[in-house]
Amino acid sequence: MESEQGEPGTVRPGGRTARVRAAVLRAAGDALAEHGFAGLDLADVARRAEVGRTTVYRRWGTVTGLVADLLADMAEQSLPRTETGSLLGDLTANARLVRRTLADPRQGALFKAVIAAAVCEPRTAEALHRFYETRVEEWAPCVRQAVERGELPEGTDAHEVIRAVSAPLYYRLLTSGLPLDEAAADRAAEAAAAAACAGAYVRRD
């Protein structure tokens, strides 16, 4: 029998255990999108996933443990970066991917719930930070390649450029109520590219 021990998010089993994990994480995402973090309940997740309560409680233990594993899985399943051969092309591809994710009714609601929970749940905050660092690191080579091509000045902080692409889109999602359309994504990419070309993200240390 495959072990179900270990910190949530660190076990990558196969077979039936993997299918159970996938069903539970899908159910957790649905519940988060529908009811938010405060309404997330392990028993309800087990019911939705059609697995035993004891399986969920034994493996994940707490709601925060389940959310941490959900975020780890989301990072693993996220699409890889697109390489177009130009800085603006790459950043635009990144911005459009972020926009599609946040504009999706289920995914947008899920991210809102997790971000809200991270404000007061340290473990959720840590898991969210790991998720974003994984995604930023996935796209950072696009910026490094732009430096090698001479599009950007030496010393440009690749992580900061990628974060700058997403920031306006998350602002729209969380605070402004403005539409998350493709034009907004393209503007975010153009602004980040222009700032990077002007040296705004060159490390000063």
Side-chain angles (χ1 to χ4, degrees):
M1 181 176 179
E2 293 160 306
S3 172
E4 293 185 355
Q5 301 301 310
E7 190 73 8
T10 64
V11 179
R12 297 293 177 265
R16 180 182 179 281
T17 305
R19 291 193 295 273
V20 169
R21 178 176 182 253
V24 169
L25 295 184
R26 184 168 55 251
D30 291 343
L32 268 173
E34 292 173 23
H35 303 300
F37 185 85
L40 189 61
D41 176 75
L42 295 185
D44 176 55
V45 169
R47 179 188 59 79
R48 289 169 180 258
E50 299 182 343
V51 302
R53 292 186 185 186
T54 56
T55 297
V56 175
Y57 281 98
R58 182 174 65 247
R59 170 127 188 220
W60 288 276
T62 64
V63 165
T64 52
L66 180 57
V67 171
D69 198 20
L70 174 63
L71 287 167
D73 183 68
M74 288 168 59
E76 293 169 4
Q77 301 301 325
S78 294
L79 293 174
R81 68 178 176 277
T82 299
E83 296 185 7
T84 67
S86 74
L87 175 68
L88 181 56
D90 292 349
L91 296 187
T92 299
N94 176 247
R96 290 182 178 182
L97 175 60
V98 173
R99 185 209 72 82
R100 286 197 303 273
T101 300
L102 299 183
D104 179 83
R106 179 184 183 276
Q107 292 294 91
L110 193 160
F111 274 105
K112 284 181 178 179
V114 173
I115 291 169
V119 174
C120 56
E121 292 282 348
R123 190 174 178 187
T124 303
E126 181 183 345
L128 188 64
H129 296 161
R130 286 198 302 267
F131 170 84
Y132 284 119
E133 283 308 305
T134 298
R135 296 310 297 153
V136 169
E137 185 58 42
E138 171 66 24
W139 284 84
C142 295
V143 179
R144 300 187 187 111
Q145 290 163 6
V147 173
E148 293 170 0
R149 290 193 299 263
E151 288 187 79
L152 294 178
E154 291 289 337
T156 296
D157 188 322
H159 288 188
E160 286 300 313
V161 175
I162 299 302
R163 293 185 187 110
V165 174
S166 297
L169 303 177
Y170 277 91
Y171 183 86
R172 281 179 175 252
L173 175 74
L174 297 171
T175 67
S176 73
L178 296 171
L180 270 166
D181 52 21
E182 197 164 275
D186 291 352
R187 282 195 301 272
E190 290 164 6
C197 288
Y201 300 108
V202 173
R203 297 184 188 87
R204 305 303 180 186
D205 50 1

